[in-house]
Amino acid sequence: MARRELVQIKTAAEITKMRAAGLVVGRTLEKLRAAVEPGITTADLDDIAERSIRGEGAVPSFKGYQGFPLTICTSVNSEVVHGIPRRKKVLHEGDVISIDCGAILDGWHGDSAITVAVGEITPELTELIRVCEDSLWAGLAAAQLNGKLTDISAAVEGAIRPHAYGIVDHYGGHGIGTEMHQPPHVLNYGRPGRGMRLVEGVALAIEPMITVGSPDTFVLDDDWTVVTTDGSWAAHTEHSVAITPAGPWVLTALDGGVERLSALGVACGQPAESAQSPV
Ligand code: MG
Ligand code: MG
């Protein structure tokens, strides 16, 4: 790295504001998960997302970001990330769709993504999605106070490597706060114990992207949609997380991450008084 990048450190009150933004994103993604079915278009999903976000008094952060035209990214099958919703893009039984969603509430950002089966999918694709989610939660569990940034990267990679999937290495996670994309960049692979120390008030978006085949990608002529070079299908999952003394607080998970982190033997940093956040 050419120079040290300034990482935004949030106060506890600011993290609480980020939690509110994260819940808008989390609730919106659950509505979208429920809406995914054969016959729906990706533009229909975008409509649902924009209504959901604006209905909670928040603003879609992707809309207008570097010219991106809509509220969510919808990436189907061999599309990895940054797909643009379209009226003519109909989902079919057996497809997989990755939906990436961001919102701004009171000046603070949330950013999260899910990969969802359209109707019945093959066991191989179910496994692809499961491994992508597991690698995300391994990374979130490694977001520990006084750890190092690449502890997260190594944990993500460690959950993927036993499988023969490609790890897309041209894109990764990022700091998040008063802007969607902040330093540091969070790699989805690498050795642990490197990079910045994880101090209280750091917030990161962790987002593994994996493919059934080669990790190589290119961008379509729409200047946005990232697709695999070999046409293999992909999954992308993401959460925003805050480093707290009590453990990682997964700001875009409806339960703050309690269930998945405890299954990994990791304490969740969600404050007890906010555990009853309305869902
Ligand atoms: Mg995202
Ligand atoms: Mg992101």
Side-chain angles (χ1 to χ4, degrees):
M1 199 178 298
R3 61 184 175 84
R4 289 183 77 87
E5 296 171 304
L6 205 58
V7 172
Q8 185 180 49
I9 307 297
K10 291 80 172 171
T11 65
E14 289 168 342
I15 293 293
T16 300
K17 289 185 175 184
M18 289 188 68
R19 171 58 167 164
L23 280 172
V24 171
V25 174
R27 285 190 285 256
T28 299
L29 281 172
E30 286 313 308
K31 287 175 198 166
L32 295 169
R33 185 194 297 279
V36 167
E37 61 178 1
I40 198 166
T41 71
T42 52
D44 294 334
L45 295 174
D46 195 82
D47 292 341
I48 292 168
E50 181 160 15
R51 264 201 312 277
S52 172
I53 290 168
R54 294 199 191 278
E56 296 209 43
V59 175
S61 51
F62 295 2
K63 202 164 199 172
Y65 180 84
Q66 295 183 356
F68 190 83
L70 291 166
T71 292
I72 52 174
C73 296
T74 50
S75 306
V76 179
N77 299 342
S78 63
E79 299 170 352
V80 183
V81 287
H82 303 167
I84 303 171
R86 289 187 286 126
R87 291 277 160 224
K88 288 185 175 169
K89 183 66 182 176
V90 179
L91 298 184
H92 297 104
E93 181 93 16
D95 287 346
V96 296
I97 179 171
S98 298
I99 305 172
D100 197 342
C101 180
I104 312 165
L105 185 67
D106 202 12
W108 295 90
H109 285 252
D111 185 11
S112 180
I114 56 176
T115 298
V116 184
V118 183
E120 290 284 318
I121 60 172
T122 64
E124 290 76 16
L125 289 170
T126 302
E127 179 74 354
L128 177 78
I129 295 172
R130 184 190 67 78
V131 170
C132 197
E133 287 178 354
D134 285 354
S135 73
L136 170 61
W137 283 97
L140 293 164
Q144 294 287 342
L145 187 71
N146 294 323
K148 290 293 192 79
L149 182 65
T150 67
D151 295 352
I152 297 169
S153 311
V156 169
E157 180 178 7
I160 300 169
R161 281 293 174 220
H163 309 271
Y165 297 131
I167 301 178
V168 176
D169 58 6
H170 197 70
Y171 305 89
H174 49 91
I176 182 167
T178 51
E179 299 142 298
M180 177 164 57
H181 292 135
Q182 298 181 327
H185 184 63
V186 186
L187 295 170
N188 288 316
Y189 58 90
R191 288 208 263 161
R194 298 180 176 192
M196 69 172 289
R197 193 163 66 91
L198 300 176
V199 297
E200 182 175 359
V202 166
L204 302 169
I206 301 172
E207 48 181 316
M209 289 150 250
I210 61 174
T211 72
V212 174
S214 161
D216 296 340
T217 61
F218 68 97
V219 179
L220 294 182
D221 287 343
D222 64 13
D223 287 337
W224 280 103
T225 312
V226 176
V227 302
T228 59
T229 303
D230 65 3
S232 66
W233 289 16
H236 171 221
T237 53
E238 176 179 25
H239 273 304
S240 303
V241 63
I243 308 296
T244 88
W249 184 7
V250 185
L251 303 171
T252 45
L254 296 185
D255 73 347
V258 173
E259 188 181 332
R260 292 293 302 253
L261 291 173
S262 71
L264 295 169
V266 169
C268 174
Q270 174 163 251
E273 63 269 23
S274 69
Q276 299 302 316
S277 298
V279 168

